[in-house]
Amino acid sequence: MLNTDDNSLEARVAWLYFMEGMTQADIAEKLGMTRLRVNRMLVEARTSGLISITLNSRFATCVELEQILISEFGLKDAVIIPTPDDPDLVPVLLGQAAGEYLSNFLETNRVKGLGLGWGATLRETIRNTRPGRYPDLCVNSMMGGLTHGLELNTFETASSLANRLNAECQYLAAPIYAGSPASRDIILSQDVFREAFERISANDVAVLSIGDLSLRSLLIRYGLPRDVPTDELLALGAVGDILGQFYDAEGHVIDHPLNLRAIALPLSELSRIPTVVLASGGRNKIPAIAAALKAHLASVVICDETTARTARDLVLAGDASKRSPPGKRRSRG
């Protein structure tokens, strides 16, 4: 029989081999053990039932962090996965976790409206959502899309999930941003868009992702209007975006006309949706995820461990600095 430490180590070996694609030699070097021991642990993982098609074990530190986040930020739920060494694997592995979560949610709740954002993590989420038949479900995009083709566009995201679930699909047939706040108002005043936003506001669940302001962001690379340089957003304190709307470290929407041009549900109205799932991770998104937690922009968070833990620490550090008396300095001995 394996003790608790051996169980945890076996689970970690299995994760690195099956989920991150590392070789047995690489795992042995990383964990400071022999390749023979790695091989024996993988055999034991298969025969004991730890490994079937999915990894049937959770790291204690991830489970503990889930409960901390739920308690401290008033979440309905949280799913934390181990952080992979390769940052490119973050959206893939988060998508697997989010797909499993969404599948279970749909199977155990009566859902009539499901809203989607866009991005690499959500693409993987859809790929990992179990197929089903939900004829009474309407999958809808919660923001406009790109005006040029891209696999991760909101139109493809919504239709792919609807096809997988045999559900109805509704597009928001508009660009992400209008040419000006005034033109956005004109667009949204049309009956077809008023009806679309009424439907979006009535969603039972929304599955969204968070963007940052680095070049890893699809919105920064492909979606920003040419008349809005990233430097302008950064100068106003922007740390990330949800549904194409940029917010600061406090989670407040920044005062920039771009946010008034976004054809998407305003972030202030997210709280009307009973379950808002934010699936996002990676070190580049730590400030954006911290701000989303602080502003309670989500009721369910799906993230990797290092990012979630560092984001939480960032929120706590900010709260502690606010509680410190102004001007009080530690004396030097």
Side-chain angles (χ1 to χ4, degrees), residues 52-277:
S52 53
I53 296 176
T54 57
L55 181 61
N56 298 321
S57 180
R58 300 291 307 282
F59 293 132
T61 53
C62 292
V63 175
E64 179 185 27
L65 182 56
E66 289 171 357
Q67 297 308 310
I68 291 172
L69 295 174
I70 290 170
S71 174
E72 292 182 348
F73 297 104
L75 301 173
K76 288 184 177 180
D77 208 349
V79 178
I80 303 299
I81 67 166
T83 301
D85 289 338
D86 183 353
D88 290 336
L89 282 176
V90 170
V92 176
L93 299 178
L94 283 178
Q96 293 176 6
E100 177 69 16
Y101 185 89
L102 180 58
S103 298
N104 292 336
F105 190 91
L106 291 172
E107 290 166 5
T108 56
N109 294 272
R110 186 170 182 269
V111 180
K112 298 189 70 175
L114 192 164
L116 282 177
W118 75 315
T121 300
L122 295 192
R123 175 184 60 185
E124 297 299 330
T125 298
I126 293 164
R127 289 176 175 174
N128 288 279
T129 299
R130 289 190 290 274
R133 297 195 65 82
Y134 298 91
D136 297 328
L137 173 65
C138 177
V139 177
N140 54 82
S141 49
M142 295 181 63
M143 61 188 295
L146 297 174
T147 55
H148 54 280
L150 184 71
E151 183 184 354
L152 303 182
N153 214 333
T154 56
F155 309 131
E156 285 76 14
T157 300
S159 62
S160 294
L161 183 58
N163 289 337
R164 197 167 186 82
L165 298 176
N166 287 278
E168 181 186 351
C169 181
Q170 296 283 347
Y171 303 117
L172 192 54
I176 297 177
Y177 298 108
S180 68
S183 60
R184 174 191 182 272
D185 292 343
I186 292 172
I187 291 172
L188 297 191
S189 68
Q190 300 176 44
D191 290 344
V192 62
F193 287 103
R194 281 204 307 270
E195 293 169 2
F197 275 91
E198 287 173 2
R199 182 174 59 250
I200 290 169
S201 297
N203 278 328
D204 302 297
V205 58
V207 183
L208 310 173
S209 190
I210 295 175
D212 67 314
L213 281 89
S214 73
L215 289 178
R216 294 181 67 90
S217 165
L218 292 171
L219 184 62
I220 296 298
R221 295 207 308 269
Y222 301 114
L224 277 189
R226 293 180 180 178
D227 61 336
V228 181
T230 307
D231 289 347
E232 280 188 10
L233 305 174
L234 289 169
L236 292 172
V239 296
D241 84 278
I242 296 174
L243 293 174
Q245 296 159 77
F246 289 86
Y247 55 89
D248 61 21
E250 299 296 315
H252 301 147
V253 174
I254 64 170
D255 185 16
H256 191 285
L258 181 66
N259 284 330
L260 300 178
R261 294 165 58 180
I263 301 179
L265 184 73
L267 297 191
S268 59
E269 296 184 22
L270 273 181
S271 59
R272 294 185 182 183
I273 299 175
T275 302
V276 177
V277 180

